[in-house]
Amino acid sequence: MKKIMVVCGNGLGSSFIMEMNVKKALTEMGKTAEVDHTDLASAKTVQADIFLGAADIVGQLDDGTRTIVTLENMMSIPEITSKLTSHLN
């Protein structure tokens, strides 16, 4: 099972909202994945298949080996769905 780590600056409000929206998107897609949220500093030491968040935050995790998915609108389930689709096949 894939692991998706949702990342925001403090690992509190916005990442929790994104986590809920990722779970809704996965349900709509008929896909399953382990989804969790964390802050940027902790995310640097966490193992996950996909790191997802706002471009200005999650982009800081891009070390050339991680799969990074950036969102323009963290509230948009259609955007989350479209950006995750290619990573969950």
Side-chain angles (χ1 to χ4, degrees), residues 24-87:
K24 287 179 189 174
L26 290 169
T27 299
E28 289 179 8
M29 296 165 67
K31 302 282 186 180
T32 58
E34 180 183 341
V35 184
D36 202 356
H37 67 280
T38 191
D39 63 281
L40 178 60
S42 298
K44 293 179 180 182
T45 63
V46 171
Q47 294 295 319
D49 298 298
I50 300 167
F51 291 86
L52 181 141
D56 59 330
I57 301 292
V58 79
Q60 295 178 49
L61 294 172
D62 193 355
D63 64 359
T65 64
R66 294 184 175 115
T67 300
I68 305 293
V69 175
T70 60
L71 298 176
E72 299 299 319
N73 180 355
M74 66 183 181
M75 301 300 287
S76 172
I77 292 173
E79 180 185 0
I80 293 168
T81 300
S82 70
K83 291 195 172 175
L84 282 179
T85 297
S86 64
H87 300 289

Side-chain angles (χ1 to χ4, degrees), residues 9-28:
N10 295 319
L12 299 170
S14 58
S15 62
F16 181 68
I17 292 168
M18 282 188 283
E19 177 186 346
M20 302 291 285
N21 287 337
V22 167
K23 288 178 178 177
K24 287 179 189 174
L26 290 169
T27 299
E28 289 179 8

